Amino acid sequence: MAIKPTYEELEQRVQALEREVLERRRVDKALRQSEERLRTITDTALDAIFCKDLNRRYTFVNPAMVRLMGCSEADLLGKVPDEVFDPQGAAIVNEVDDRTYKGESISEVRSLSIGGTPYTFHTIQYANHRLQP
């Protein structure tokens, strides 16, 4: 038969749980503030910003990327470059992705046609393996 905890032990446990709840609330608030800052930066940036998973699917695109591509966010999320760009553009994007996925940090100027209009981009891309599941 298990020994019942004393009133003092129960009181100490309740206090410990209350401290834990307060700490979680503090951490949650800090996380929300950090997410709001990041969202403000990406939403107001003039440059196209995106994230992809290891299967090359877009998992995040900012409003500048949506405007550049001339479509909705839903039209980009979950898609791979071959579904978004013409074959030549997809080949360029995939080549940069290949190098990135091998661990290379990319910073170079590239030309790419989007919807028949040529653009010149300063591409900065890197793989953050810490964010991968």
Side-chain angles (χ1 to χ4, degrees):
M1 187 157 115
I3 300 173
K4 289 187 177 183
T6 66
Y7 176 80
E8 289 79 19
E9 290 170 333
L10 289 173
E11 191 173 286
Q12 288 175 355
R13 181 65 183 139
V14 167
Q15 290 173 356
L17 289 170
E18 287 173 343
R19 284 190 301 273
E20 188 177 318
V21 166
L22 287 174
E23 176 62 12
R24 281 193 186 198
R25 285 182 181 157
R26 186 193 67 73
V27 169
D28 285 347
K29 181 179 179 183
L31 179 60
R32 277 193 309 279
Q33 289 173 335
S34 178
E35 288 173 346
E36 288 171 12
R37 280 191 299 271
L38 179 61
R39 178 58 69 179
T40 298
I41 291 167
T42 59
D43 281 357
T44 60
L46 300 177
D47 295 323
I49 300 171
F50 60 86
C51 296
K52 294 180 190 171
D53 64 18
L54 292 175
N55 295 314
R56 300 176 194 263
R57 297 198 179 280
Y58 289 94
T59 59
F60 170 83
V61 293
N62 74 331
M65 176 83 167
V66 170
R67 284 190 302 276
L68 174 69
M69 299 306 294
C71 61
S72 72
E73 181 180 0
D75 292 330
L76 296 171
L77 294 178
K79 302 279 175 57
V80 296
D82 295 308
E83 297 171 295
V84 174
F85 297 97
D86 64 29
Q88 183 182 8
I92 291 169
V93 172
N94 286 328
E95 184 268 330
V96 173
D97 285 349
D98 287 342
R99 292 168 45 209
T100 302
Y101 290 149
K102 290 178 183 173
E104 185 179 341
S105 292
I106 309 295
S107 178
E108 59 192 26
V109 176
R110 288 268 180 152
S111 293
L112 188 64
S113 180
I114 299 175
T117 304
Y119 291 91
T120 300
F121 297 97
H122 178 197
T123 299
I124 301 170
Q125 193 167 308
Y126 74 98
N128 187 344
H129 298 291
R130 293 176 300 168
L131 296 178
Q132 302 302 326

